[in-house]
Amino acid sequence: MPSNSQEINVDVNSNENGGGAFRTEPKEFKMDEITYETKDAVDADASNAPGGLNSDQRLAFALRDFLRPADSALIVETPAPTVEEKLPYIDEVVDVDNAVQSDEEPTTCPGTDEVLNNAACRLRRWRAASRKLRRPRIINNLSANNDSSGAVKSSQSGHTDLADRLRNLASAGSLSASAGELLSLAPPPPAATAPPSPGCLLTPTLADQSAAEYFGSSPECCVESSPKNDTSAGYPGPPPGPRYTLATEGALRVCCFQHTRTVVDKILAAKFFRRWETHVLCLLEDRVVSKTPSGLLENPLTYSNMQEVYCISRWDLARKYCLRIVMSNGSLLLQANDAYTRDQWYYSIIWRRNMIRYKNFLTKTARKEVVLKELKNMVDFAMTTPLQDESVTRAPLQILTDLLSENKESPDWEEWAEAATTVAAPLLAERCINEELCTLLARLCQRRPRAAPLPALAPAVRRVLTRNVDFGKAPSARQFVKDYIRALSAHNSGDSLVRRFVEVTHGNRAACPHPRAAPNLAAVTLAAIDDYYRYHLALHVCEDKEQEVMCFADILVHMCEYEDWLVVVGSLLQPVPFCPAALGCPRLAQPLSTVLSRLAHDSRCAVHTCVIPSRAARPYPPSWLRAVSPSEPILKLPHKQLCQLWGDMLQMLLNCCCKRKSFLQSMSKQLPDFVIVAMTEHPAALEGLCLMLEWEITNGEQTQLEIIAALQGTDAGQQHYRDLCERQQTLQKLQAPGGPTRLALPVRATDADVAALLEGGALGNLECLSLAFTSVTSACAHHLIKLPSLRYLNLWATQFGDSGVQLLAEHLPRLQVLNLCETPVSDKGVEALYGLSSLRRINLNSTKLSAGAFEVLRQRLPHLQEYDVRYTEAW
């Protein structure tokens, strides 16, 4: 073997001319002192080697002082290697039988094994280099060109990435160097030059890290763990760079040569290259075929026959983007038009090849520890591939499903499924699981609720909640989420776990970023409660097993703690979605009362109107106001709590959007409830009874006497009745004949000015009122409806909104001219005008009127003569 100080000049064509010698020109030849170790000493050191080492490692142990670096020492307490150093190349050909047999060998200390592997790899490299130096035809692969200044620089035709050279060295000498040993010598090349093997890009998996990042390493610790913005933190991810779709068909140029271990560098340096053929290649499940099966691709290329696949980056500057496939009987070069296409085919072939390998390995291997190790490699490979395709998402999950489907009836299936699910947690978090896998995971939660891998299943459950569109098409997904929540509540800290689950699902933002999370979670909750109480009798008797349903009622309570989710819960609770047996359960009634109380105290109309009857109401019960009515309660709550809850619902409705004649008319059938709640001095019931008398909603003298008696039964009721009498006296004075017929208020007028004006004297003859450009709002409508002769009303450029228009339409049926120009009136207020049959002229200029609402208005009011809809959608 020549010294490092020698200059080597090689004539590549010398062997072709009959000469096989090469000459050397020594510059500074210095004979180093070489000491040889005797065979007995080597054998003595090898005999002291740890057990479980192969021949190369034993020899490396004996030569450790020669092979290791000068500043390193062979000690057992070496730091653990990084994850990238321990992970193998994912596209490495591994014999299944040998892999299983190797696990049966005794294991050694990880630090010792690390050093010995590195030493053995250096020894193999030295052997391979020494053999190559004796082969002059390919010595150009390891030599370097000298420039004029004597500095050494790499040849342009030489290897540009060290990983390719190491793989070729190991292949040329028929060595068994593992990919882990190759990785210990050199890191993978950057993704910008040549796409490395996906195994080089793996990061620590979820099983190697703390699970508290997404739910807690144990069910108990997840309560105190802080929420994370990204639940996928710590998962392996694809390398930086472009993303590709799985290649299925494309036109590539093909070149084939019979050398399997020949260094490609020599072939590429040839002046006249071999013949190229253009083929339309198709990537099938198990092989690569050509649409024109002739020439170099007369026979299909099976993935199992591919020994090595890698990109040749040294040709990129010459715009020859090649991919090399090493077969058992030769090598194949695939040339693409650009680097992107070349990389796409590279990753696609690697994907197909490894999926077949994983599928065969995982289904044929019996040892569970070996299967779990290979399953982890498959998960890491699936998470790090830059391919983005539906089949890329579906194939690993199908392999996992087939793996869990085997031996489902065995007694240790739950333990095996728990271990496999924990290993596949990153894949479940990043992929939408299929129906069969949902069924298997639900079965695991049902059989072992207290031992189910909750941290591993948490990302999958949240992905189902945030991505599912219709549970009717995926009933197994809903069952999986349901069983997972039951498994949470089965632990000692079940209540805290359920609250934490809702908190993590919503996120730490003010609004949940996933619009499907709240409807899906509420749908699962309502379905679980309905499934339990559906076949129970109306006369409910509490049981111990009923406790497992209470966690779903608690989820509704926790969801109502978020303002954005409160709207969703209210919409799903209208009409009442529970059966009579569920409403008759005292345990379930308490959390439902909490939900209804939060709905009743919310100021948004979209929330508190969920307690009134809906248009598509179910036969039983029609609304929550009917379900919690104190006279005939359906929800099993104490009487005092029922009265307070019913009064709170009514109070918010009257103070916001339902202080209208039509609403009180619909509630006249529940007059006994008004009377019962009024006896508890609730202000909402007292106000409702006074409005019934004031607006003459009740018919019959006997009914009016009952209302008056209920009002005078309490001190607060007597005060409301006295105020009602004073208003009636003022109303009589206001509606007395006399006063002006036309009136216009100044620009600075407010709602208080309108009230003071109407209390000043008789306005029974007032027909035209102009409030244009004033500061009045919908609150003044309660005073305007007291004018019996009003025919013309001008509200131009005011803040008069939909609620005020609704009151005018109910109490002023003789209104003929209405000006709502530049007001915030929308379609909701315009719909209230459908009943004003006497309306002749209307101005809706610059309002929020839609074209559909205006067409309905014209159909409902055939006598409408003039209208102005400029600067609206109907214009």
Side-chain angles (χ1 to χ4, degrees), residues 676-742:
I676 294 174
V677 178
M679 299 303 297
T680 62
E681 297 188 354
H682 199 287
L686 297 174
E687 183 181 0
L689 292 177
C690 292
L691 288 176
M692 288 182 180
L693 292 176
E694 182 178 0
W695 292 344
E696 298 180 356
I697 294 176
T698 58
N699 296 324
E701 183 179 358
Q702 184 65 28
T703 304
Q704 294 179 356
L705 292 177
E706 292 178 1
I707 296 175
I708 294 173
L711 291 174
Q712 292 182 346
T714 59
D715 296 339
Q718 292 178 4
Q719 182 63 37
H720 278 76
Y721 185 69
R722 285 195 293 269
D723 295 340
L724 174 61
C725 294
E726 293 178 359
R727 289 199 303 271
Q728 290 297 323
Q729 293 176 1
T730 305
L731 181 61
Q732 291 179 359
K733 295 180 181 179
L734 176 64
Q735 296 180 351
T741 59
R742 295 176 178 269

Side-chain angles (χ1 to χ4, degrees), residues 586 589-590 593 630 633 635-645:
Q590 290 298 330
S593 65
L635 192 64
K636 279 293 181 181
L637 288 175
H639 178 75
K640 185 176 181 180
Q641 188 176 358
L642 278 174
C643 294
Q644 183 65 32
L645 180 59

Side-chain angles (χ1 to χ4, degrees), residues 2-7 24-32:
S3 173
N4 292 333
S5 61
Q6 289 179 309
E7 180 182 3
T24 61
E25 298 179 2
K27 288 185 177 180
E28 294 180 359
F29 182 80
K30 294 182 179 179
M31 179 64 70
D32 297 334

Side-chain angles (χ1 to χ4, degrees), residues 222-245:
C222 70
V223 181
E224 300 178 358
S225 62
S226 59
K228 299 292 180 181
N229 295 333
D230 187 9
T231 58
S232 62
Y235 291 176
R243 298 295 179 261
Y244 312 92
T245 58

Side-chain angles (χ1 to χ4, degrees), residues 657-665 695 806-807 810:
C657 55
C658 290
K659 194 173 183 179
R660 294 169 49 192
K661 189 174 183 179
S662 57
F663 172 70
L664 291 177
Q665 286 176 346
W695 292 344
Q806 291 173 349
L807 274 177
E810 290 179 344

Side-chain angles (χ1 to χ4, degrees), residues 6-285:
Q6 289 179 309
E7 180 182 3
I8 304 174
N9 294 330
V10 182
D11 186 3
V12 178
N13 300 323
S14 61
N15 199 21
E16 298 177 359
N17 299 330
F22 61 93
R23 67 180 184 273
T24 61
E25 298 179 2
K27 288 185 177 180
E28 294 180 359
F29 182 80
K30 294 182 179 179
M31 179 64 70
D32 297 334
E33 183 179 356
I34 303 176
T35 59
Y36 296 92
E37 194 167 352
T38 62
K39 182 177 184 301
D40 296 335
V42 173
D43 295 340
D45 291 339
S47 62
N48 298 328
L53 303 180
N54 54 32
S55 59
D56 290 334
Q57 289 179 338
R58 292 177 64 86
L59 182 58
F61 186 89
L63 301 177
R64 59 190 183 278
D65 295 331
F66 169 73
L67 293 172
R68 71 184 179 213
D71 57 346
S72 63
L74 181 62
I75 55 177
V76 177
E77 294 80 2
T78 54
T82 61
V83 178
E84 292 189 359
E85 293 177 342
K86 295 191 292 184
L87 290 172
Y89 278 98
I90 205 65
D91 57 342
E92 183 184 22
V93 179
V94 179
D95 190 2
V96 176
D97 299 332
N98 295 337
V100 176
Q101 183 67 23
S102 63
D103 287 352
E104 297 176 355
E105 299 176 358
T107 58
T108 59
C109 178
T112 305
D113 190 40
E114 167 75 16
V115 177
L116 292 180
N117 283 341
N118 293 339
C121 186
R122 293 189 183 95
L123 178 61
R124 294 189 187 101
R125 183 184 179 190
W126 176 70
R127 286 177 176 175
S130 64
R131 282 193 296 268
K132 284 185 174 293
L133 288 175
R134 293 191 294 270
R135 299 172 62 183
R137 290 183 58 84
I138 58 174
I139 198 172
N140 186 45
N141 181 56
L142 298 177
S143 63
N145 296 333
N146 296 336
D147 55 8
S148 58
S149 61
V152 180
K153 62 180 181 179
S154 300
S155 174
Q156 182 65 27
S157 62
H159 281 283
T160 58
D161 92 55
L162 186 56
D164 285 347
R165 180 160 65 240
L166 293 176
R167 283 195 290 267
N168 290 331
L169 287 176
S171 302
S174 298
L175 301 177
S176 59
S178 65
E181 295 168 342
L182 295 179
L183 283 177
S184 63
L185 292 176
T193 57
S197 175
C200 307
L201 305 168
L202 303 185
T203 56
T205 60
L206 184 64
D208 300 329
Q209 296 187 357
S210 174
E213 293 186 357
Y214 62 95
F215 198 73
S217 59
S218 64
E220 285 74 18
C221 76
C222 70
V223 181
E224 300 178 358
S225 62
S226 59
K228 299 292 180 181
N229 295 333
D230 187 9
T231 58
S232 62
Y235 291 176
R243 298 295 179 261
Y244 312 92
T245 58
L246 186 64
T248 57
E249 183 177 327
L252 298 177
R253 299 184 66 196
V254 180
C255 179
C256 183
F257 49 92
Q258 297 178 354
H259 305 283
T260 58
R261 302 302 179 187
T262 304
V263 179
V264 183
D265 198 33
K266 179 181 180 301
I267 301 174
L268 301 182
K271 182 177 182 180
F272 300 100
F273 203 72
R274 298 169 182 263
R275 181 170 58 93
W276 289 90
E277 295 180 356
T278 301
H279 289 266
V280 178
L281 302 183
C282 299
L283 287 183
L284 303 181
E285 294 292 335

